[in-house]
Amino acid sequence: MTSTDSAAQTPATPPAKAPAKDPWDLPDVSGLVVGVLGGTGPQGKGLAYRLAKAGQKVIIGSRAADRAQAAADELGHGVEGADNAETARRSDIVIVAVPWEGHGKTLESLREELTGKLVVDCVNPLGFDKKGAYALKPEEGSAAEQAAALLPDSRVAAAFHHLSAVLLMDTEIDEIDTDVMVLGEERADVEIVQALAGRILGMRGVFAGRLRNAHQVESLVANLISVNRRYKAHAGLRVTDV
């Protein structure tokens, strides 16, 4: 047997596998501009305040630019106010925090301005009656899926559903002790949103599936409202063992 024959019969060493990516290795998002549609409402205003306090550049949007600017002046920390269209144009990431009743109409009117943007929907479709809050199910399946249907040229994720606006706006509280469930179709987009959540002290973004799973995440807010009423609390969520 020649040396060439011997070499041919020696099995090749399989290539080493690349190490698995650390799921907590998240991108640096500190330089991104965040726009908040519905930034004059309690949830949007609270998120804008916390992100700006963490050093993020934030623009809050409203149908009326003067109303948005008044809210921005109240928040400080370099927050700017503009109408919804300008907010969408100037932002890298756009958080949708408008009331459910105006969700579809607002996004449809901003389709062009939101083209190519990462849109983070935090709207909870809820109804209320004498028994309390209850979940609504949109025709598309969820508010996030409605956003994805209305914004085919945007990248849609879902997050920030379970946050107490009261705690977000409380200037005496330094840390928000909660996890944020983040849903989306593309890992890179989800990780950007996770990293954004992590900019807020005490908060952590946790991947929770694709947009088809957004309905139950949005719906859980109805349960948290019941918890809050019974226990006079501002309940949030923590995911264990991750």
Side-chain angles (χ1 to χ4, degrees):
M1 181 182 293
T2 67
S3 59
T4 303
D5 293 335
S6 177
Q9 294 177 20
T10 303
T13 303
K17 287 186 177 180
K21 183 180 184 298
D22 180 353
W24 298 111
D25 179 16
L26 301 173
D28 178 9
V29 298
S30 60
L32 299 180
V33 178
V34 178
V36 184
L37 304 181
T40 58
Q43 189 82 351
K45 196 172 180 181
L47 274 169
Y49 169 69
R50 289 290 163 176
L51 289 168
K53 186 179 179 182
Q56 208 76 34
K57 176 60 186 174
V58 177
I59 306 169
I60 58 175
S62 177
R63 286 177 296 178
D66 57 347
R67 187 178 174 204
Q69 189 57 56
D73 292 341
E74 180 185 342
L75 293 178
H77 295 284
V79 177
E80 295 183 33
D83 63 38
N84 283 332
E86 183 180 349
T87 298
R89 280 193 297 268
R90 292 177 56 195
S91 302
D92 302 303
I93 304 174
V94 178
I95 297 174
V96 181
V98 299
W100 166 241
E101 293 75 16
H103 180 264
K105 187 175 180 181
T106 299
L107 294 184
E108 195 170 16
S109 71
L110 296 171
R111 183 177 293 161
E112 182 178 344
E113 290 83 358
L114 291 171
T115 294
K117 307 284 185 177
L118 175 52
V119 177
V120 185
D121 203 296
C122 70
V123 175
N124 303 300
L126 297 175
F128 295 86
D129 60 20
K130 62 183 181 181
K131 294 182 179 180
Y134 60 94
L136 303 175
K137 189 161 188 178
E139 181 180 347
E140 298 85 355
S142 64
E145 288 170 295
Q146 183 183 87
L150 291 172
L151 304 172
D153 298 317
S154 303
R155 297 132 53 210
V156 176
F160 302 115
H161 301 90
H162 307 137
L163 305 180
S164 163
V166 173
L167 296 184
L168 289 174
M169 284 300 300
D170 190 336
T171 58
E172 299 299 314
I173 295 175
D174 291 326
E175 296 188 13
I176 304 296
D177 181 23
T178 193
D179 284 334
V180 171
M181 310 287 273
V182 183
L183 304 97
E185 299 302 316
E186 299 295 334
R187 173 176 285 192
D189 292 336
V190 168
E191 290 181 348
I192 288 171
V193 182
Q194 287 182 267
L196 188 66
R199 296 273 288 159
I200 299 173
L201 282 177
M203 198 176 288
R204 181 180 66 159
V206 179
F207 172 65
R210 294 179 180 267
L211 289 185
R212 68 181 184 180
N213 293 320
H215 171 64
Q216 57 263 37
V217 173
E218 297 169 1
S219 300
L220 187 58
V221 173
N223 302 90
L224 291 177
I225 289 172
S226 297
V227 170
N228 290 338
R229 286 181 174 176
R230 173 63 63 89
Y231 299 103
K232 310 301 182 190
H234 301 292
L237 295 178
R238 276 293 186 200
V239 181
T240 62
D241 201 33
V242 293

